[in-house]
Amino acid sequence: MSAEREVAEAATVVAAAEAGAGEDASLQPPNAEAAGDAQPPAVSEGAAAASPPPLRSLVLTGFGGYDKVKLQSRPAAPPAPGAGHLTLRVRACGLNFADLMARQGLYDRLPPLPVTPGMEGAGVVTAVGEGVSDRKVGDRVMVLVRSGMWQEEVTVPSAQTFLMPEAMTFEEAAALLVNYITAYMVLFDFGNLRPGHSVLVHMAAGGVGIAALQLCRTVENVTVFGTASASKHEMLKENGITHPIDYHTTDYVDEIRKISPKGVDIVMDPLGGSDTAKGYSLLKPMGKVVIYGMANLLTGPKRNLMALARTWWNQFSVTALQLLPTNRAVCGFHLGYLDGEVELVSGVVARLVALYNQGRIKPHIDSVWPFEKVADAMRQMQEKRNVGKVLLVPGPEKEN
């Protein structure tokens, strides 16, 4: 759907919300009011009389396989956001690797169960609370929160929302924040990416991977190595990769050494375990490996104790005395722990929006799934079949 049509439909969404729409607080954890959590809109008096259609949300009811995420409904009520908050009707939500880890009980930023997952999304503002002066009803916004976005309507801190560019669709907005903030801060804030640098991007066909490829293209003469299945290489070339490597059939360390004997300047490591040591070994002097995930922990839909033990046993460790003569750096990045750094994150989002408006970055959508098919959406990502971002929408299924 085009951004123009979405803007036209925003008025309809607002009108529907004013007729009465809200959420049941029982679906949120006891500490849902903690900073960064999406909260259900407060129920105001007289809500029962309106009798609007019930609202739906996806709820993580326990740790384990795909069946632990349930689609639930609850009565609707007119939104009544508190001070500094706003309520929005959600139009699209992002699915991230952290959500897969959360389902298995491996994500430490998840509030107590039961909880509605989802760190990012986009929608239309239907109500604003006291003290909110920079947002108004009808605004199209994208949201970055600790959890709670996989539902039809949420109340969130206004400071954790960002106005969407006019040309941006809800699906693009739901695909932007987590992946592009991560890629940007890893490459530029930690990596100090500059002209002539070389970068290794693991899981290059994923959401963060494609974001990294596009961001590398904004700097002159950057050489990008990327690991991905062979079937995804053509698409990666279209997004700027220099040397795609099929990690199923090729040792990526040997392949990089053949092309660049001195190694690379930046390694983006979402894998952990033994791959961190390999990445460190590939660094040039003044190079940096930035760890931003532990994908090697996930080997199936349920928690695998052997994979946990193997990743822990193989985890890379280095002392300060060992770092000194190598002139290398090891960094860790976790976007979930930056939820209190509003000014820092807002500055990154502003730069990303400017790049989007210039046509230099554009989220690549792999597939869009209705709430009813959340298990299929998670399987798409867990089995690494996706090329780009996997999204969830409250509305009907779209052709993928």
Side-chain angles (χ1 to χ4, degrees):
M1 182 185 296
S2 68
E4 292 82 358
R5 184 176 175 185
E6 288 179 350
V7 171
E9 288 187 356
T12 304
V13 172
V14 172
E18 290 175 347
E23 303 219 3
D24 190 332
S26 67
L27 293 180
Q28 296 296 320
N31 65 340
E33 293 186 2
D37 290 342
Q39 305 167 28
V43 178
S44 61
E45 295 181 5
S51 299
L55 294 172
R56 301 172 305 153
S57 68
L58 292 168
V59 181
L60 179 62
T61 58
F63 298 130
Y66 303 124
D67 61 330
K68 296 300 182 180
V69 181
K70 310 286 188 183
L71 179 60
Q72 299 183 0
S73 298
R74 65 274 188 193
H85 288 66
L86 58 80
T87 299
L88 70 148
R89 188 78 176 198
V90 178
R91 296 294 299 274
C93 321
L95 174 62
N96 292 287
F97 219 84
D99 298 312
L100 303 183
M101 298 186 72
R103 199 195 66 240
Q104 295 189 15
L106 299 174
Y107 187 68
D108 58 351
R109 294 293 288 164
L110 188 71
L113 302 184
V115 64
T116 293
M119 300 166 59
E120 63 182 335
V124 180
V125 176
T126 57
V128 296
E130 182 181 354
V132 177
S133 59
D134 56 350
R135 301 287 184 268
K136 64 182 183 302
V137 172
D139 280 348
R140 302 189 317 140
V141 296
M142 42 192 172
V143 183
L144 179 68
V145 290
R146 181 181 174 190
S147 64
M149 288 305 300
W150 292 3
Q151 48 191 323
E152 289 187 310
E153 187 173 274
V154 291
T155 293
V156 298
S158 174
Q160 292 178 258
T161 69
F162 308 91
L163 292 173
M164 293 168 50
E166 277 189 35
M168 182 177 283
T169 67
F170 288 115
E171 291 173 5
E172 289 177 333
L176 183 78
L177 294 179
V178 169
N179 292 165
Y180 281 81
I181 292 173
T182 297
Y184 187 96
M185 298 189 79
V186 167
L187 286 170
F188 293 101
D189 291 305
F190 270 134
N192 190 27
L193 181 64
R194 290 181 290 181
H197 273 182
S198 54
V199 183
L200 169 58
V201 180
H202 284 296
M203 299 175 68
V208 175
I210 292 179
L213 300 185
Q214 294 181 3
L215 288 169
C216 283
R217 287 196 302 190
T218 67
V219 180
E220 293 182 0
N221 194 30
V222 172
T223 300
V224 183
F225 299 88
T227 61
S229 301
S231 61
K232 304 175 181 179
H233 286 187
E234 284 304 314
M235 187 283 304
L236 295 179
K237 291 177 182 177
E238 294 172 4
N239 280 272
I241 200 167
T242 316
H243 302 289
I245 301 171
D246 183 0
Y247 63 96
H248 295 290
T249 61
T250 305
D251 184 310
Y252 66 84
V253 174
D254 291 343
E255 189 67 17
I256 292 171
R257 287 292 185 193
K258 291 177 186 175
I259 300 169
S260 178
K262 290 186 177 181
V264 297
D265 296 288
I266 303 170
V267 174
M268 296 184 62
D269 177 19
L271 302 174
S274 60
D275 286 290
T276 304
K278 293 178 182 178
Y280 182 79
S281 73
L282 282 169
L283 292 178
K284 296 177 179 179
M286 304 306 294
K288 307 167 188 70
V289 57
V290 186
I291 306 150
Y292 65 95
M294 287 285 162
N296 283 334
L297 292 175
L298 298 187
T299 58
K302 295 183 179 180
R303 189 186 310 185
N304 184 322
L305 294 180
M306 287 299 295
L308 293 174
R310 183 171 56 250
T311 302
W312 176 83
W313 180 259
N314 291 322
Q315 189 54 48
F316 178 70
S317 178
V318 64
T319 68
L321 288 176
Q322 291 170 324
L323 282 174
L324 282 173
T326 64
N327 290 301
R328 297 169 176 169
V330 180
C331 311
F333 178 82
H334 194 312
L335 182 57
Y337 282 92
L338 291 179
D339 52 359
E341 302 294 333
V342 176
E343 185 176 348
L344 173 64
V345 173
S346 296
V348 174
V349 174
R351 291 190 285 275
L352 292 172
V353 168
L355 289 171
Y356 176 88
N357 287 333
Q358 295 164 12
R360 304 180 76 183
I361 62 172
K362 183 178 178 65
H364 184 93
I365 310 301
D366 171 79
S367 51
V368 181
W369 305 84
F371 280 178
E372 291 84 355
K373 293 192 175 183
V374 62
D376 293 329
M378 291 188 292
R379 187 176 294 109
Q380 176 82 356
M381 177 175 284
Q382 180 122 20
E383 296 178 358
K384 298 180 181 178
R385 300 199 303 258
N386 61 302
V387 178
K389 190 72 171 185
V390 178
L391 298 177
L392 295 165
V393 292
E397 183 174 7
K398 296 191 176 184
E399 183 177 351
N400 292 317

